Amino acid sequence: MLVVMNHKATPEEIEAVVAIIEERGYTARPIPGGDRVSIGILHNKGPVDPSLILGLPGVKEAISITRPYKLVSREFKNEDTIVQVGDVAIGNNHMTIIAGPCAIESETQALTIAKHVKRSGAQLFRGGAFKPRTSPYSFQGLGEKGLKILAKVREETGLPVVTEVMDFETFNIVEEYADIIQIGTRNMQNFSLLKRAGDAKKPIMLKRGMAATIDEWLMAAEYILEGGNPNVILCERGVRTFVNHSRNTLDLSAVPVVRKESHLPIIIDPSHAAGRRDQVIPLSRAAVAVAAHGLMVEVHHEPEKAMSDGAQSLYPHQFEMLCRQVESIFEVFQNGK
Ligand code: PEP
Ligand code: MN
């Protein structure tokens, strides 16, 4: 249930409502944003009796929540969440472009790519230091050395960095270096990792599980908000289907559905969806047309030598073309109303 207070509700009236909710053994969670205070009721086992709340001084209405997820839903918070990372605001109806290699391979590799993508218009740099690989014989990432390279990239280019956390054990160190902590598709329902992410001081990019429904994905995000971290960015990266013309199938319909259901920003990763370079630019154009808040794209200056995901990595000149094309599409849909 969501308790909506009057515009003019006093702090004492708000506190009194919180106290009544908590006396029942529920959790009262004030919801930020908007021109009035709302208080979400969490951890109630069944429906909350509205007569408990209605009629208290300062209370405007009590709305029952119909969705299984609460804090991530528009029913709880109607205004879009904007995740601020340095000077970059994700979710404010601008296109945020994140780009970089699949994995950090060396300082020279990372810096070379970062300079290219920055020049073309990327606002954040991506690169994995801890890599979740299907085979134990594949390159597993540089680990802490990779994180140090990411810090160097940030220092030299000014770009904030996005990198993946794979497990609970390495969470602290990833949190220390990352500007945005990525939770990958294979970990979307790693509940201990999600709970730790709820306690993190940095924003979390939560990728959709490769076989997850949107409800499951939003419930995973709910763990992070429930844990106290409101800064979550959702990332659609394709789901597993029977096709073999691409690595996954990009579910573009996730964008309008998530935007309707949730206030959290949603971005598209066309690279892992396609698995092939030639599909990345067309899918990126489509992502902008369905009003995603951003893109995350893999780019490599020597993709034929890449230690992971070379086949889907764009050459820098292709990334430059992608940025120009999505800019034009953005103009049509956002400014050409
Ligand atoms: C990645 O972005 O590097 C990655 C491993 O993605 P996903 O979890 O979507 O496979
Ligand atoms: Mn990759």
Side-chain angles (χ1 to χ4, degrees):
M1 177 171 287
L2 183 70
V3 181
V4 182
M5 303 298 291
N6 281 321
H7 282 302
K8 291 186 185 143
T10 64
E12 292 73 31
E13 287 168 345
I14 294 167
E15 270 167 40
V17 173
V18 168
I20 286 178
I21 295 168
E22 302 221 314
E23 267 164 30
R24 287 290 165 122
Y26 311 146
T27 304
R29 181 77 71 87
I31 311 291
D35 54 355
R36 59 175 89 237
V37 172
S38 299
I39 302 162
I41 303 181
L42 303 176
H43 299 124
N44 49 302
K45 295 282 180 290
V48 178
D49 179 3
S51 66
L52 185 68
I53 307 291
L54 289 171
L56 292 174
V59 171
K60 179 168 183 278
E61 54 185 331
I63 303 166
S64 66
I65 300 295
T66 57
R67 303 293 195 268
Y69 34 85
K70 298 171 183 243
L71 296 168
V72 306
S73 79
R74 284 232 188 251
E75 289 179 323
F76 250 57
K77 177 175 178 260
N78 192 39
E79 308 78 44
D80 285 354
T81 287
I82 296 175
V83 177
Q84 192 73 39
V85 185
D87 295 337
V88 185
I90 305 171
N92 66 351
N93 292 324
H94 285 87
M95 273 306 288
T96 302
I97 302 186
I98 305 168
C102 180
I104 300 298
E105 300 166 8
S106 70
E107 188 175 312
T108 313
Q109 173 250 18
L111 277 170
T112 306
I113 299 169
K115 285 174 187 163
H116 278 300
V117 299
K118 183 180 178 179
R119 211 174 305 130
S120 300
Q123 291 156 293
L124 292 105
F125 181 72
R126 65 145 287 147
F130 294 96
K131 292 303 304 174
R133 303 305 302 277
T134 301
S135 164
Y137 306 115
S138 301
F139 176 59
Q140 304 284 307
L142 296 180
E144 188 170 356
K145 187 170 165 221
L147 296 175
K148 292 199 157 85
I149 295 174
L150 283 164
K152 182 93 194 276
V153 167
R154 175 176 45 221
E155 194 184 302
E156 292 220 358
T157 63
L159 296 175
V161 298
V162 183
T163 198
E164 178 165 355
V165 68
M166 263 177 47
D167 47 43
F168 193 89
E169 290 73 22
T170 53
F171 205 108
N172 287 351
I173 181 143
V174 173
E175 186 177 15
E176 197 183 305
Y177 287 93
D179 295 297
I180 296 180
I181 302 166
Q182 176 176 323
I183 294 185
T185 194
R186 295 159 187 81
N187 267 321
M188 189 204 82
Q189 284 188 320
N190 179 338
F191 298 111
S192 51
L193 203 61
L194 296 174
K195 285 180 183 172
R196 174 63 185 82
D199 203 31
K201 302 290 169 283
K202 302 276 176 70
I204 307 294
M205 179 195 291
L206 179 65
K207 289 192 144 195
R208 179 179 179 184
M210 61 182 85
T213 63
I214 290 180
D215 274 8
E216 288 164 339
W217 188 19
L218 293 175
M219 289 307 280
E222 184 80 10
Y223 267 88
I224 305 173
L225 272 76
E226 195 270 340
N229 186 350
N231 295 311
V232 175
I233 302 148
L234 299 165
C235 177
E236 159 64 35
R237 48 78 72 202
V239 289
R240 188 58 76 78
T241 67
F242 54 83
V243 306
N244 56 12
H245 60 268
S246 57
R247 185 172 170 182
N248 292 288
T249 296
L250 181 59
D251 180 11
L252 283 171
S253 66
V255 177
V257 174
V258 165
R259 288 194 62 146
K260 181 161 165 247
E261 289 294 316
S262 176
H263 49 83
L264 295 175
I266 174 168
I267 70 163
I268 294 282
D269 170 350
S271 307
H272 291 89
R276 302 170 40 149
R277 181 177 308 128
D278 61 342
Q279 297 173 7
V280 171
I281 295 182
L283 292 177
S284 300
R285 292 194 299 247
V288 181
V290 293
H293 295 103
L295 289 169
M296 182 162 80
V297 182
E298 286 186 343
V299 179
H300 202 292
H301 64 308
E302 292 175 326
E304 56 293 333
K305 293 192 191 150
M307 293 170 99
S308 64
D309 286 349
Q312 69 197 30
S313 299
L314 295 184
Y315 287 94
H317 73 274
Q318 294 179 307
F319 178 68
E320 161 73 21
M321 190 159 45
L322 179 153
C323 289
R324 298 293 78 82
Q325 293 192 4
V326 299
E327 214 170 79
S328 326
I329 294 182
F330 183 80
E331 293 288 310
V332 172
F333 286 95
Q334 307 296 321
N335 303 331
K337 287 171 195 148

